[in-house]
Amino acid sequence: MSVEYANEPLHMNTVDKNANLSALGATMFSFRYVTADIRKRLLSFGVGLTTIIIVVSVVSLLYNSVQKAPIIFLKLSEDQAGDQDLLFTAKLTNQSTSPFINSTDFTQRLQKNELIGNSSSPRWIVFGNIVNKRDPDKNISALLLMVDSEHEQNVGIGHSWPYRPLGEGECHIRNSLLSALDIAPNRGHKVNLRVELSTFINVLSGQTIAINEGATDDPEQQLAPTSVTSKDVRNLIHYFLDTQGINSTQPIYVNITEIAKRTGTIIPPPIKRVIDLTGGIWISPEALMDTFLPVNSTTDYSHWGIGGEYSVVDSVDSSYTKYASALGNVVVLDYRYVMSAIETEFRQNADLNVILTAVNYRDRFYSALRNFKMQHYALTVVAKYSERYKTYLRTEKEMDIDILNLTNSISRTMGVSYPVTATLPLAVALKGTRFISMFLDQIFTGVVLMLAVLGIILIFALLLANVEEKTYEYGMLRALGLKQNTLIQVIMSQSMYFAIPGVVIGMALSVSLNFLVSYGIAYATSLPFDKVDPFEYTWIAVVVPVALGIFIPTIANIIPIQRALGRSLRDSLDVTRQSFNETSVQMIKLEELGLEPWQTALASLMVVIGFCVYYGVPFAFVFQQFPLFFLILNTILMGMLFGLCMIAVVLQPILERSLLYVMLWGSERRLLTLITKNLAGHRTRSRKTFMMFTLAVAFVIFAGVAFSLQATNIISSVESLIGADVIVQSRTTLYKLPEQQIDDFLNKQKENGIIKDFGYASSHLTTLPFINLVQLSPLSYFPTCDVKVFAISENFLQFTFTKYFLYTSHDQYSPNMTYEMVDGKPDVFRSLYVDAGKAVSPNEQIGFQPGHVIYDAYKLGHNRTSDKFDPSTKYKTYVDMVISDAMQIKISAQRENPLQLRVFSHHPKTGESGGTDFIGKARALVYKVPGFFFSSYEVSAHNSPVLITWDTYLQIAKEAADTVKYKYTAKTVLKEKLLLRYVDGVTDKQRESILNGLRSMVNSDFTILQDVNDIKASTHTATTVLLGFFDIVAAIAVLLCFFMLTVSFTANVKENSWEFGVLRSIGLSVSKLVRAYIYEALVLVISAFFCGTVIGLAIAMTLISQFNLFLQMPFMFEFPYWLFGSIGLMAVVVAVLGSYFPARELRKKEIAYVLRGLE
C-alpha cells in the first residue's frame, strides 16, 4: 500500500526541473496542480462552485427584481385609482361656462401630442337607479359609467379589464348589485336604468360627479340640490331648446283636437266650437312652460328622469383598473348606444308622443335624438401616457420631472387658455407607495449584504480547510524549491477555479430565473410581456454580482494564504500535528509596535459611523433624501445585528455545554466527556459555523418580523384612522347623512345579529358658518391653542376598535363616578353622558370657589371676545370633554385643573364678531382614539380634536350664534360620519348586504364609504408573496450553512481520524462515535439557532420600538411562526446530515489504516 499526496510525482518532477519558474511557467504549474487537485476533492470544488452560483444568481435576480418592483406597486395603484394617467374635466371660466368638454375637438387637438396620441376617450359618470325588470320591488342606487368600450380596449385604457366590448342595449354590472337585485349574468335578464332629473340639473350647473375620480379638491362646489324646482326644469328645457336652435318665445302651432283624440279628453263645448274652426292654437314654448311649469310652483320634480332597458352581460367582481375602486357599485355602459336606449323609452311614452305630435315636432325631436353628438358633451376625458412605464418605474424625482414635461407639453399643444383642468390620479396614487417601496429596497439590500457575508465566511472556511489539509503537501513543495509567489498563485488559482465558472453559471441562471419572474409579474399585473422585459438588466444587476463572485474568494483567500506561508517547514512536514494543539510565539520589536490592522479598521468604522449619524442623517432628512435616510438607519440596524452576532460567539462555549448536558440522557451521558473535548478542540473551526448560523437565523427572523410589522402597521394605521369596520363619511359639511333612514336599516341588522353596534360623529364646530375659531387654554387665558371640537355618540367604544383607544389619565378623583369597562379600558365617552356635571377637581374638594368676574387682559380692547365672564355661572354648566395628551405640554393642561374653551363667532352677512367662553373639565387625556388623530407630541396639539356630547355641541353652537345674533334653529347636530362594527364571524354575503344597503341610502357624489376588510384583503396577496420570498431567502441561507457545516465536520473528522481509530481500538462502537459527531453538530446548530433567534427578536423589537415611537400605536408583535419553524426544522436536518456523511467515511475503514493515516 502506498501513500499519495495530491499526485505527488507530477509536482515533484516539475519543481526539480524548474526551480525558478517564469510567470508563464508558474501559471501553467498552478493550472495543472489545481486541475489535478480538484479531481481528488470534488466535494470542496462543488461546495465552492455552488456557493458562488447561489450568491451571484440570487444577488443579480434580487437587484433586477428591485427594478421591477415598482410594476407591482403600479398595479396596486391602478386598482386604486384606475388606469388613468390623465383625467381632464371642464374648467369654468369667464370665457367658458359650459360644464362639458367637446371631446371630438379635444381629442383631435390632443392627437398632435406625441406623448398622448390617440389614447384619450370621453367618459360620463352619473348617479342613477337600477331596477329588476321582473321584480320592480328590487332596486338599488348605482353609478353609471358610460365609456367607449371598444375604443378603450383598443388603446388599452383599463388594460386588465377582462370583459368584452358592449353592444346596443347591453351593460356590465357589479356583482354586489346583481346579488342585491337577484339577477344572474349572461342569462338574458333585463334591468331598467334610470337617471333622475336632479342629476341633469347637477351636470348643467357644473356640479359633476367627477369628484369621485379626484377631479376637484373642492367638494363644497359639488353639492347636489335636495329637490328639483320648476325653475330647474325650465332651465333644462331652455338648454335643450337652445342646443336645437329653437326660440322659446316664438309661437308654435298646437293641435288641440289631436291631443284630445289621442288622450280621450272631452273638450268643453264652448271651447270646442272655437277649436273646430282652427284645429288648434298658436302658443310659444315659454307660454306653455308658464302654464304647466309656473316659476313659483312648489312641486318637487326630482322624481322625474330618463333611462332605458338593458340586458345584463357580465358580473363585474373588481374594477380591474377600468375605474377607481372607490366608486364601488358601478354599471358600465357604452355611451354610443345610450341615446338609442333613451329614444326607445321615449317612443314607448304615449303621453310624450301625443304632445310631440300635437306640436308637429315628433319627427324633428327623434331626429335630434339620433343625431345628438353625446361626445360633444363629455363630463370627463381620460388619457394614457405613452411613456407611462418608463416614467412610473423611475425614482420619485425623475418621475416628477417626466410628469412636469408631460403637462407642459399638453399645455403647449392645447393652449394655456383651453377650458380644461388636468389631474393625474395614477401618479398621485403611486406616490403613496413610495415609502413601502423604499422599505423593501432596504430589505433587499440587507439580503444582498447577508448573502455576501455568508459567502465570504463559507469560502474562507473552505479554503482554510483545504490549506490545513494540505499543509504537508505545501511544505514538501516549498522544500523542493517552490517560491512563495507561486504558492500564493496556486492558492488563488484554486479559488478562481470555481469563482469564474460560478460567476458565468450564476449569471446564466439569473437570466433564466429573471425570465420566470418577469413572466410572473406580467401575469399578476396583466401587463404585456414586452413591458416587463426579462432581458433588460441594469448595470447594478450585473456589476455587483460579478464583483461579489470575484471579490468573495479573493477576500476569503487572505487568511489561508497567511496560514500557508506562516508555518515553518518543520511544522508543515509534521504529519502528527493537530491545529488546535499548536502553540505559537510571536516576537515584535518595540519600535515596530503600532496599530494592528483590526484596530485601524475599527477606528475607520467608528469615523464612518460618526459621519453618517451626525451629517448623513440630518442631510437626508433636511433635503428629503428618504432612500438615503432609510439606508443609513438600515445600515445601523444591520451593524447592530452583526455586532450582536459577534458577541454571541463569546457565549458559544457556555451554551454548548448547557445544551449538551440537557440533551444527553441515560447511557448517552457516557459520551459527555468525549463530545465536550471535541467541542473544545474544534472551537476555532466551529466558531465560523456558529457565526454563520447565528447571522443567517438572526437576519431572516429580523427581516421577517420587520416586514410583518410593516404590513401590520399599514393595516393598523388604516384601522386607527377609519376607527371601525365600516364608515360612511360626508365629503362636505353641506350634505347631511339620512340619519333616520340609516338608523332604521342598521337597527334591523343589529336585531338580526349582523352588526355589533353603530353610531355617529359630527363635523367640527368651525364648519358652522358663524364660528371662526375655537381655542383651549388655562383659566389664565395664556397660552392658547386652536382646537377642533367634535361630538360623538354615547356608545362610541361599542362600535369602534377599542385597541386603538389609548389614554394617559382619566378622572379618578370625582366622587359618585364609576366607569363601565370595555375590553379592560374605562369607557370615558359614555361617562361624558351618564356622569355629565359630576366632575370635581381636587381644588374644588378643598373649598375652591371662582371669583365673580374674570377679565380677559390678554384680549382686552378687542371686539373678538366678551372680555369678561361670570365663572360662578359658567362653573355650573361646564363642558365635559376628552382632550389630547399633547395639551399637557402645549398649554399645561392637567386633568385636575379646569380649562377655558373660547369660541369666536362671526356673522357671515352683517360682519358682527364676538366670543363666548366656557369652563371645560378634561375627563381624560388621550393620545390615540379610533377614527380621530390624537397624539402626545406637542407638534400635534394645534387643531387637535376635543370630544364632547351632542347636547353640549348644540349648546355651544346656539350660544355662539346668539353672540353675533345669527339665526341658528337646528335641533339636532349634523352627522358627518357613520361608524359601525360587525359581529365576529360575519360572512362576506352579510357584509355585502350591509354595504349595498348603505350605498342605496346615501348620495355617493358626496360621501365616502370605506370597508376595512377590503383594505386588509388588498394587502394580503403582497404580504403572502413577500413572506414566501423570505422563506426562499431562509432556505438559501440554511443551504449555505449546510455547506459550511459539511466543510467544517469533514475537516474535523479528517483532523481527528487518528483519535477516531484509537477510540475504536479500545472498544467504542462506530455508531456511538457517529452519534457523538451528530450530537456535537446538534449542540452547535441549536445553540446558534437560539442565539440567532434572540438577536433577531432583539433587533426586531428595536425596530418596533422605533415605529411605535413615531406612530404611537399599541404594541403589536407579529412573529413569523411558519418562517421560524421552517428554519428550525432545516437547521436540525442540516446538523444531522452535515455531521453524518463525513463521519460515515471513517466507519468504512479498518482501524489500522485509520491509525496510520492511510487512505
Side-chain angles (χ1 to χ4, degrees), residues 141 735 738 741-746 996-1003:
S141 300
Y735 176 75
Q741 191 179 1
I742 291 174
D743 286 351
D744 294 340
F745 172 71
L746 293 181
N996 285 335
L998 292 174
R999 288 188 180 110
S1000 66
M1001 297 175 198
V1002 299
N1003 190 327

Side-chain angles (χ1 to χ4, degrees), residues 206-217:
Q207 298 171 2
T208 71
I209 201 167
I211 186 175
N212 279 323
E213 298 212 6
T216 177
D217 294 327

Side-chain angles (χ1 to χ4, degrees), residues 9 13 56 78 132-133 145 191 217 245 442 452 483 489 504 536 667 700 727 770 796 869 900 907 1007 1049 1113:
N13 293 339
V56 171
E78 286 178 338
N132 186 336
K133 184 180 179 182
L145 172 62
V191 295
D217 294 327
Q442 301 310 315
K483 288 186 175 182
Q489 189 172 347
V504 175
E536 181 183 0
S667 60
V700 171
I727 68 163
F770 54 88
F796 184 77
F869 72 101
Q900 180 197 8
H907 198 294
T1007 55
F1049 270 83
M1113 284 289 184

Side-chain angles (χ1 to χ4, degrees), residues 739-758 760 795 994 1001:
E739 183 179 353
Q740 187 59 51
Q741 191 179 1
I742 291 174
D743 286 351
D744 294 340
F745 172 71
L746 293 181
N747 280 322
K748 184 177 180 180
Q749 303 304 321
K750 188 176 178 181
E751 293 174 1
N752 295 336
I754 299 178
I755 67 171
K756 179 181 178 182
D757 214 338
F758 68 95
Y760 299 91
N795 57 333
I994 296 291
M1001 297 175 198

